[in-house]
């Protein structure tokens, strides 16, 4: 596991940091990712790259953190109009994100992986191609096709995805 950590820790850290913009949180979640990987090494499917598997674990840990972090504490509520507006906008954004996420889960596996790595991992098409063992061009086309499917099924504007 030490070899895996030394080889993939920077990838996992970068993946997390690009999503949360908090180096301390990214570091904590990276450590937790490798702990979870040790616990669930038996569930590793050798059809995907280890880096992809680790980033999936990291992504789920980040979502769990955000879910816990987004619980509204009554004592923290502000009575101002601005706070209410921000809360409403945040709630609407989360509902829309959940809708997109549900539709994303229905995409074919390769499309789903490309979209997740591009959007959640903020990786280049070249990096995605390397991680998934496909060409940069195929990563681009796959992302474009997935985006068109999501736009068609969700009535989203092209700027929203």
């Amino acid at each position: 596991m030490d070899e895996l950590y030394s080889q993939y820790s920077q990838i996992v850290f970068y993946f997390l940091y690009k999503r949360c913009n908090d180096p301390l949180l990214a570091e904590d979640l990276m450590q937790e990712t490798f702990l979870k990987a040790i616990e669930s090494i038996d569930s590793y499917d050798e059809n995907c790259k280890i880096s992809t598997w680790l980033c999936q674990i990291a992504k789920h840990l980040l979502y769990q953190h955000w879910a816990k972090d987004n619980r509204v504490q009554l004592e923290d509520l502000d009575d101002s109009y601005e706070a209410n507006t921000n809360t409403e906008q945040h709630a609407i954004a989360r509902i829309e994100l959940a809708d997109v996420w549900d539709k994303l889960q229905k995409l074919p596996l390769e499309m789903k992986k490309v979209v997740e790595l591009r959007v959640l991992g903020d990786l280049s098409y070249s990096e995605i191609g390397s991680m998934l063992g496909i060409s940069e061009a195929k990563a681009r086309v796959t992302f474009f096709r997935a985006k068109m499917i999501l736009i068609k099924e969700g009535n989203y504007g092209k700027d929203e995805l």
Side-chain angles (χ1 to χ4, degrees):
M1 190 49 93
D2 290 336
E3 185 179 320
L4 282 178
Y5 182 84
S6 64
Q7 188 174 0
Y8 297 105
S9 61
Q10 287 183 326
I11 292 171
V12 173
F13 175 82
Y14 179 73
F15 174 85
L16 289 164
Y17 179 69
K18 289 299 251 179
R19 302 308 336 133
C20 69
N21 291 323
D22 181 345
L24 296 176
L25 177 59
E27 179 72 28
D28 287 346
L29 291 175
M30 180 193 63
Q31 299 293 335
E32 194 172 341
T33 297
F34 282 92
L35 288 175
K36 291 284 185 192
I38 291 170
E39 293 172 1
S40 60
I41 193 72
D42 295 335
S43 69
Y44 170 64
D45 178 9
E46 294 183 15
N47 290 330
C48 75
K49 293 188 175 192
I50 291 179
S51 57
T52 303
W53 180 64
L54 291 169
C55 286
Q56 288 291 327
I57 294 171
K59 176 189 70 172
H60 290 294
L61 290 171
L62 181 60
Y63 287 164
Q64 288 173 355
H65 172 78
W66 282 342
K68 284 188 256 180
D69 194 44
N70 285 329
R71 292 184 187 141
V72 178
Q73 301 295 322
L74 292 176
E75 61 271 12
D76 293 338
L77 290 177
D78 183 8
D79 292 332
S80 71
Y81 175 76
E82 184 177 305
N84 289 336
T85 302
N86 287 340
T87 301
E88 288 173 20
Q89 290 171 346
H90 181 72
I92 290 169
R94 289 190 54 81
I95 289 168
E96 290 172 353
L97 179 61
D99 185 46
V100 171
W101 183 252
D102 286 342
K103 287 178 178 30
L104 176 65
Q105 298 308 310
K106 295 174 185 169
L107 291 175
L109 184 60
E110 185 178 56
M111 274 188 178
K112 185 173 118 176
K113 284 181 179 181
V114 169
V115 171
E116 287 174 346
L117 292 172
R118 179 72 178 157
V119 176
L120 300 176
D122 200 26
L123 299 178
S124 70
Y125 293 112
S126 176
E127 292 169 316
I128 293 168
S130 294
M131 287 181 80
L132 298 179
I134 60 176
S135 70
E136 178 180 345
K138 183 169 182 179
R140 256 181 220 283
V141 169
T142 302
F143 181 79
F144 176 78
R145 288 180 179 162
K147 185 176 173 180
M148 291 299 105
I149 289 169
L150 292 172
I151 289 170
K152 181 180 174 188
E153 289 183 6
N155 297 323
Y156 305 109
K158 290 184 181 182
D159 296 338
E160 294 180 61
L161 293 176

